[in-house]
Amino acid sequence: MVYAYDDQNIFAKILRGEIPNQTVFENEHALAFRDINAQAPVHVLVIPKGPYMSLDHFARDGSADEQVGFMKAVAEVCRLEAVDAGFRAVANAREDGVQEVPHYHLHILAGRNLGPMLMG
Ligand code: 5GP
């Protein structure tokens, strides 16, 4: 698999500060911010700061520090958003995964019963 990262994608622009975002948490390796089109009372996107297109790209090529930093950011989002009743983490990838933005992001959804995992 060849991963050709496009640095003009919207999340790259958010990381460069060219587009505003509602930040929930940030550390050296990851940024977490609210989804502009929330699908649940809590809908936060966690993204690595490095140029990775998808979960499998990040899992293959991200450094151990980047991967740990990313997962620590996920933990902080869950703590800050108080998702004690439960949550769903979703990573869409490429065409069949219906990924809209080609910068890896993990959706953290919570705040209501999210129903069955797949609708279609
Ligand atoms: P995907 O389908 O790629 O997994 O999800 C992309 C997500 O990014 C969508 O839920 C969409 O609402 C969100 N999104 C797209 N553009 C922006 C933006 O400019 N700002 C924020 N905060 N979210 C965005």
Side-chain angles (χ1 to χ4, degrees):
M1 179 75 195
V2 175
Y3 299 104
Y5 183 79
D6 169 16
D7 68 3
Q8 293 307 306
N9 77 76
I10 200 104
F11 293 170
K13 292 179 180 179
I14 284 176
L15 284 169
R16 290 195 294 267
E18 295 167 12
I19 292 174
N21 73 92
Q22 277 188 274
T23 298
V24 173
F25 179 78
E26 181 172 12
N27 65 21
E28 182 183 357
H29 295 297
L31 176 68
F33 54 96
R34 299 199 187 284
D35 194 294
I36 205 167
N37 184 25
Q39 302 297 312
V42 173
H43 190 169
V44 176
L45 303 172
V46 187
I47 69 173
K49 291 187 173 178
Y52 303 103
M53 298 178 64
S54 55
L55 172 58
D56 53 330
H57 187 197
F58 184 58
R60 189 188 73 177
D61 291 349
S63 70
D65 281 353
E66 287 176 308
Q67 291 172 356
V68 169
F70 180 89
M71 294 309 286
K72 293 294 185 187
V74 171
E76 280 302 299
V77 168
C78 290
R79 184 182 68 80
L80 292 165
E81 297 296 306
V83 299
D84 306 38
F87 69 96
R88 182 168 293 155
V90 176
N92 299 316
R94 299 191 287 284
E95 293 87 357
D96 283 359
V98 195
Q99 180 180 9
E100 178 190 333
V101 180
H103 182 112
Y104 169 46
H105 47 284
L106 191 65
H107 298 256
I108 303 291
L109 298 141
R112 66 170 171 83
N113 185 298
L114 295 161
M117 188 169 71
L118 295 177
M119 300 298 283

